Amino acid sequence: MMNYFPDEVIEHIFDYVASHRDRNVLSLVCKSWYRIERWTRQRVFIGNCYSITPERLIRRFPGLKSLTLKGKPHFADFSLVPYDWGGFVYPWIEALAKSRVGLEELRLKRMVVSDESLELLSRSFTHFKSLVLVSCEGFTTDGLAAIAANCRFLRELDLQENEVEDHKGQWLSCFPDSCTSLVSLNFACLKGEVSLGALERLVARSPNLKSLKLNRSVPLDALQRIMMRAPQLADLGIGSFDHDPESEAYIKLKNTILKCRSLTSLSGFLEVPPHCSLAAIYPICPNLTSLNLSYAAGIQGSELIKLVRHCVKLQRLWIMDCIGDEGLGVVAMTCKYLQELRVFPSAPYGNPAAVTEKGLVAISMGCPKLHSLLYFCHQMTNAALITVAKNCPNFIRFRLCILDALKPDADTMQPLDEGFGAIVQSCRQLRRLSLSGRLTDQVFLYIGMYAEQLEMLSIAFAGESDKGMLYVLNGCKKLRKLEIRDCPFGNMALLTDVGKYETMRSLWMSSCEVTVGACKSLAKKMPMLNVEIFNENEQEDCSLEDGQRVEKMYLYRTLAGKRKDAPEYVWTL
Amino acid sequence: MSPTLMANQNQGESAEYLNWLLLLLITFSLLSLSLLFKVASAVYIYKDPKMAAFLFSLDQFHSLEDMGTLKLIGAPQTQSSSSSSSSIDSNNHPSRTPPPPSSPSSRVCRNRTDLSTDLRLGLSISPSSQSESPFNPTPREESFDWPPIKSILRSTLVGKQSHMIQRPSLFVKVYMEGIPIGRKLNLLAHYSYDGLVKTLGHMFRTTILCPNSQPLNSGNFHVLTYEDREGDWMMVGDVPWEMFLNTVKRLKITRADRC
């Protein structure tokens, strides 16, 4: 029936199909749909930048306007991927520029972005509107200056948790006076100072500014002036909250805050005075749906508790564990609409007042809508996990990290297999899972049996034998990313079902029992995979013997073949 | 048999008996004397506070060893200094030499227990005066890939920790003889008598003698004394440092020739 419709009609229908997956499915229906879908596709998501060459992507989707790229594997966040492994964005920008793609939006995660790439980006795409960089590195404030100066219609510059070198230039001043289109500006991760005058003027001429996240160098009085000029702000990241409670600036700020009725998201507090009181914020708390205090290391637990009592509409909460189990109980009583919770460790190596399983159980009882969790705690029990599974069957993301990596159930000293088993059995929509604590192969049996929708699994210090990994590879049909560190999984687990890896995006194994020989044979059998081994020995002539244990292995499916930008210590087999 | 012979024999036997008896008596008396002596000396020892203190400190030392922390300090592990801003430095990563051929599970078990020891290590090292809570956060260099938090968050926290760690402090008054205005000093900022004496020497611009040295000309030197919990003024340096910290109330620097 669809054959009788002209292409324009089908195109119009396809406009309503936005999600990447749905569009991928559409393109598989028939040749004409593939063709139409291809020409009308505007947003493309590439989960692994080495899975395809930029040229091939551009050939297929010439109408590309928005590109999302991810580079390094997830464990790169925790310093497990050596420096200069790869993930360079320059070739992509170069290819897009050469093909005159009308790029408007670029979103990058864990990639290496050089100043040259930013400069090329700023000059090549006249309608460029949005740059989002998450956990990237390799650029300096000079690159930002180029973006500010050359992107005339820039709407969004969002820098989340990047490592940016400060070159002391006045990059903020590089926004021309004609730039009035800013909607979102986030420079919270920058370490250096910015020109406060330029910042205030920029805010003043940006009537559409909805999201502004400042870095720690912006003092309280500047914050107050900025908030005065932008009462329409919905999302604010406070830089420095350091103040003298008696000062005029602070009193002014308190009054200004009262006027910001449209604020629904608050973050930052990167610098706070000791024994800081957050009373100035209480008036806007009832409107907040998102609160991120994960970098506010100076705020005491008692103060956090007092703040949270006012946040009745909260849907997303990122907080440090100094709030304690008691504080989480308050969250459970107050935030009935909570959907996402992240509790971070306030001292990297544990804090005696940190959270335990009790806090998590309290949350599960009070917040039935919870679907995403990242929880760093210092102990857990099976009973608690079973209770949580019963109370919150809607989990999509469940990530637990017990700071003492091999700790068993704190009450019974048993492994935590039963607890996690209950989670996967009860939460049928679970897509992402991170395990922690003492675990045997049993937990993997449960995961293989019940976690049907699981797409990403992170394992550390768990399992007893190859069977564990096999249960997962056999059972989880939708598995896309598997990352394993410090587990006793070896060659048998790796080689039993090699076809599985082509259905997945990537596999990471570090400090496991896999040998070079097994990796070589895997690479031979599966030409569509890049099997990379990182050989960080400083010895020059070390040829890899087959029996040698592999320290780090990363494999991913690809259409691009072996990559040419790998550093010396990466061996692609 | 002649009667004299028999009499002689009897006499011999009784002499023998006597000998045995005498021997027994002597041994017995010796034993009781030694017992008495032990008791007396014990009483003497425990009456002497210095001795008692020394014995007490020995006990402390043993209990530390039993905790196992001291043995584990030397265990080499994958350590590297975590730089605050740059997250990845592969050169610091020690290369793993291939382990000797052994069954995989035991190898991994060893690795895993090593790591868990390592983790526990970082979490349980604490100044001995602190309680033994396993998660006492001490700013010690630790593995930079556990716990799994982003390096930018880790560097923020480590920075904050060094500001915020409320180092427990013990400020005591220090007077120097002849000077009416005293000073205050944080004893917990030092780890031994040497450090203390050096600091005080700078503070008061004098040389403070250590307790055992006897200079010929004791005119211009000072010695350090302290008032303990019982109100007695004692010479600093006789008792172990930790014991000293527990009993000191204030310090006084007096002229050497007064002592």
Side-chain angles (χ1 to χ4, degrees):
Chain A
M1 200 46 189
M2 289 292 273
N3 287 339
Y4 298 120
F5 289 139
D7 285 355
E8 293 79 23
V9 175
I10 302 183
E11 274 174 33
H12 191 66
I13 297 174
F14 282 5
D15 277 347
Y16 290 98
V17 180
S19 116
H20 297 295
R21 285 180 209 198
D22 292 343
R23 294 216 77 152
N24 290 345
V25 167
L26 280 180
S27 60
L28 292 174
V29 169
C30 63
K31 271 205 182 129
S32 69
W33 279 32
Y34 177 90
R35 183 178 38 88
I36 296 169
E37 198 279 320
R38 205 180 133 220
W39 284 101
T40 57
R41 177 96 88 147
Q42 292 185 340
R43 316 180 65 89
V44 176
F45 169 83
I46 305 284
N48 174 7
C49 64
Y50 289 119
S51 61
I52 191 170
T53 59
E55 291 77 23
R56 188 161 171 171
L57 178 74
I58 296 166
R59 257 203 316 272
R60 179 163 171 194
F61 299 118
L64 188 57
K65 289 216 171 74
S66 160
L67 179 61
T68 306
L69 282 174
K70 291 192 182 179
K72 299 186 201 176
H74 175 232
F75 275 173
D77 280 348
F78 318 131
S79 311
L80 279 172
V81 175
Y83 183 64
D84 78 5
W85 170 85
F88 305 105
V89 78
Y90 190 82
W92 288 85
I93 298 181
E94 199 183 15
L96 288 163
K98 231 187 251 176
S99 313
R100 292 173 222 262
V101 169
L103 193 70
E104 291 181 13
E105 179 181 80
L106 186 61
R107 311 167 76 95
L108 304 176
K109 187 165 185 179
R110 279 192 287 272
M111 293 197 75
V112 177
V113 182
S114 59
D115 282 345
E116 289 76 35
S117 351
L118 288 177
E119 188 135 359
L120 182 61
L121 178 68
S122 69
R123 287 186 202 286
S124 312
F125 309 106
T126 42
H127 292 280
F128 191 73
K129 294 196 176 75
S130 167
L131 180 64
V132 179
L133 302 177
V134 180
S135 300
C136 297
E137 59 178 358
F139 60 105
T140 75
T141 47
D142 294 343
L144 296 178
I147 297 281
N150 301 328
C151 299
R152 286 191 297 148
F153 304 110
L154 194 68
R155 285 205 209 139
E156 182 176 16
L157 179 59
D158 188 356
L159 308 170
Q160 298 177 29
E161 296 177 316
N162 303 291
E163 300 271 2
V164 187
E165 215 177 289
D166 182 50
H167 274 192
K168 306 239 183 295
Q170 297 297 333
W171 66 276
L172 257 183
S173 321
C174 294
F175 279 105
D177 288 339
S178 54
C179 174
T180 57
S181 47
L182 263 186
V183 173
S184 165
L185 177 63
N186 172 6
F187 60 94
C189 61
L190 260 58
K191 297 178 203 121
E193 303 205 340
V194 293
S195 157
L196 297 174
L199 176 61
E200 286 172 44
R201 287 192 297 276
L202 180 63
V203 171
R205 63 176 186 274
S206 304
N208 299 322
L209 193 67
K210 283 275 182 303
S211 167
L212 178 64
K213 292 184 182 158
L214 309 168
N215 77 343
R216 61 177 68 232
S217 76
V218 179
L220 200 85
D221 53 335
L223 172 68
Q224 187 268 328
R225 289 193 293 273
I226 288 169
M227 287 176 82
M228 282 289 284
R229 293 195 189 272
Q232 78 282 4
L233 271 181
D235 180 6
L236 175 66
I238 291 181
S240 168
F241 202 63
D242 202 355
H243 61 273
D244 175 6
E246 319 273 318
S247 65
E248 204 185 307
Y250 185 62
I251 297 171
K252 264 196 200 166
L253 180 72
K254 282 203 279 192
N255 291 331
T256 308
I257 286 179
L258 290 171
K259 299 201 187 94
C260 292
R261 286 292 163 186
S262 41
L263 264 184
T264 54
S265 170
L266 191 61
S267 60
F269 294 90
L270 307 174
E271 291 282 346
V272 293
H275 309 291
C276 165
S277 156
L278 296 175
I281 311 292
Y282 296 167
I284 44 168
C285 286
N287 296 332
L288 287 182
T289 56
S290 165
L291 180 62
N292 178 357
L293 296 176
S294 56
Y295 282 89
I299 302 183
Q300 316 265 35
S302 52
E303 202 50 52
L304 291 175
I305 296 178
K306 279 195 254 178
L307 183 73
V308 155
R309 279 193 213 277
H310 298 266
C311 302
V312 285
K313 280 201 204 154
L314 215 54
Q315 292 172 15
R316 170 155 55 147
L317 177 63
W318 292 21
I319 205 156
M320 307 221 85
D321 65 1
C322 46
I323 195 174
D325 286 331
E326 189 201 327
L328 290 178
V330 174
V331 172
M333 274 196 323
T334 316
C335 310
K336 293 300 180 186
Y337 302 103
L338 195 67
Q339 294 176 18
E340 179 180 341
L341 175 67
R342 294 197 189 189
V343 180
F344 292 95
S346 55
Y349 314 113
N351 176 349
V355 294
T356 68
E357 77 278 6
K358 300 187 182 59
L360 186 58
V361 170
I363 291 280
S364 74
M365 294 205 296
C367 309
K369 296 200 173 171
L370 194 65
H371 60 61
S372 285
L373 179 75
L374 171 60
Y375 197 73
F376 284 86
C377 57
H378 87 70
Q379 65 182 48
M380 187 50 60
T381 63
N382 283 313
L385 285 173
I386 293 171
T387 310
V388 169
K390 230 188 299 180
N391 293 337
C392 294
N394 300 321
F395 271 118
I396 299 176
R397 293 172 208 101
F398 189 87
R399 296 158 69 187
L400 188 72
C401 179
I402 304 176
L403 292 166
D404 184 355
L406 288 162
K407 198 161 187 184
D409 181 322
D411 292 336
T412 65
M413 298 307 171
Q414 294 295 307
L416 289 172
D417 301 332
E418 297 305 313
F420 281 106
I423 294 278
V424 290
Q425 221 172 326
S426 161
C427 306
R428 290 308 183 134
Q429 303 302 313
L430 196 67
R431 297 208 295 253
R432 182 168 180 182
L433 178 64
S434 293
L435 303 173
S436 186
R438 187 178 297 284
L439 296 162
T440 68
D441 286 342
Q442 185 70 14
V443 71
F444 298 112
L445 177 63
Y446 290 141
I447 291 174
M449 270 170 57
Y450 297 113
E452 287 161 8
Q453 302 296 321
L454 195 66
E455 294 178 6
M456 181 168 177
L457 180 62
S458 307
I459 311 172
F461 306 104
E464 292 164 318
S465 73
D466 287 335
K467 281 197 271 180
M469 186 165 160
L470 285 173
Y471 290 145
V472 171
L473 291 175
N474 285 338
C476 301
K477 298 296 174 205
K478 294 204 175 170
L479 194 65
R480 291 191 296 124
K481 286 180 279 183
L482 180 57
E483 46 187 27
I484 304 173
R485 62 164 289 187
D486 293 274
C487 296
F489 303 140
N491 297 336
M492 200 224 349
L494 184 68
L495 294 176
T496 299
D497 183 6
V498 291
K500 174 80 179 171
Y501 304 128
E502 263 187 4
T503 68
M504 289 166 53
R505 185 191 295 174
S506 64
L507 168 67
W508 168 281
M509 288 180 81
S510 63
S511 305
C512 296
E513 297 297 318
V514 180
T515 65
V516 174
C519 294
K520 280 187 185 166
S521 91
L522 174 58
K524 211 188 225 168
K525 281 189 214 166
M526 306 292 296
M528 300 296 264
L529 297 180
N530 273 357
V531 181
E532 294 185 8
I533 291 182
F534 303 170
N535 182 23
E536 289 167 278
N537 268 323
E538 302 240 346
Q539 306 158 22
E540 279 208 3
D541 285 330
C542 56
S543 57
L544 295 175
E545 296 148 16
D546 279 7
Q548 201 176 325
R549 210 176 65 118
V550 166
E551 186 53 45
K552 291 178 184 167
M553 180 205 73
Y554 180 53
L555 67 81
Y556 51 91
R557 66 180 174 189
T558 178
L559 295 171
K562 183 172 164 171
R563 63 186 175 113
K564 299 180 189 69
D565 60 2
E568 272 180 22
Y569 58 80
V570 170
W571 299 51
T572 310
L573 302 173
Chain B
M1 272 282 140
S2 72
T4 42
L5 209 62
M6 273 183 64
N8 276 343
Q9 266 187 333
N10 282 341
Q11 255 187 348
E13 278 177 0
S14 56
E16 239 185 277
Y17 272 130
L18 271 170
N19 279 340
W20 277 112
L21 215 61
L22 206 60
L23 208 63
L24 259 168
L25 218 80
I26 292 175
T27 345
F28 198 82
S29 56
L30 272 173
L31 270 167
S32 56
L33 263 171
S34 69
L35 199 67
L36 263 166
F37 183 77
K38 265 205 183 123
V39 171
S41 64
V43 168
Y44 176 71
I45 283 172
Y46 283 104
K47 230 184 157 191
D48 178 356
K50 286 187 203 166
M51 194 59 100
F54 178 64
L55 289 171
F56 177 65
S57 72
L58 273 182
D59 280 352
Q60 265 192 333
F61 192 74
H62 281 134
S63 68
L64 269 179
E65 264 198 329
D66 287 344
M67 264 164 51
T69 51
L70 291 179
K71 276 184 238 152
L72 294 172
I73 290 175
Q77 281 300 328
T78 52
Q79 302 291 344
S80 95
S81 59
S82 56
S83 59
S84 57
S85 55
S86 124
S87 53
I88 300 156
D89 184 359
S90 67
N91 289 334
N92 280 345
H93 215 79
S95 55
R96 280 218 199 212
T97 54
S102 58
S103 72
S105 52
S106 70
R107 216 188 310 149
V108 176
C109 284
R110 208 196 313 137
N111 287 345
R112 282 165 60 177
T113 32
D114 281 350
L115 186 66
S116 65
T117 304
D118 176 40
L119 293 170
R120 266 188 272 118
L121 238 202
L123 302 171
S124 63
I125 295 286
S126 57
S128 54
S129 54
Q130 296 283 318
S131 67
E132 288 157 37
S133 82
F135 289 96
N136 201 4
T138 23
R140 181 178 172 273
E141 282 166 356
E142 267 295 338
S143 71
F144 47 83
D145 53 29
W146 191 267
I149 53 177
K150 290 192 177 165
S151 36
I152 197 172
L153 179 62
R154 184 186 298 272
S155 55
T156 310
L157 294 179
V158 168
K160 278 280 180 281
Q161 252 194 340
S162 50
H163 288 313
M164 264 184 60
I165 251 209
Q166 302 287 336
R167 266 187 194 220
S169 60
L170 177 62
F171 280 95
V172 294
K173 293 183 190 168
V174 190
Y175 282 93
M176 171 125 131
E177 195 174 336
I179 301 179
I181 308 284
R183 304 281 306 260
K184 267 203 147 172
L185 176 74
N186 179 10
L187 287 179
L188 291 184
H190 304 92
Y191 301 105
S192 70
Y193 289 118
D194 292 324
L196 176 64
V197 162
K198 230 184 259 180
T199 307
L200 284 173
H202 282 136
M203 257 179 160
F204 290 91
R205 281 179 259 280
T206 179
T207 315
I208 296 180
L209 299 174
C210 66
N212 294 323
S213 73
Q214 299 284 338
L216 302 162
N217 170 19
S218 53
N220 292 332
F221 295 98
H222 290 88
V223 289
L224 188 57
T225 61
Y226 71 102
E227 183 185 2
D228 68 4
R229 268 202 223 124
E230 292 162 9
D232 301 320
W233 284 94
M234 316 290 293
M235 189 82 100
V236 164
D238 290 327
V239 299
W241 177 250
E242 287 77 17
M243 164 112 284
F244 167 70
L245 291 178
N246 280 333
T247 61
V248 62
K249 270 173 49 187
R250 53 185 165 150
L251 297 173
K252 187 156 178 192
I253 303 175
T254 52
R255 297 224 324 236
D257 50 10
R258 288 281 181 94
C259 296

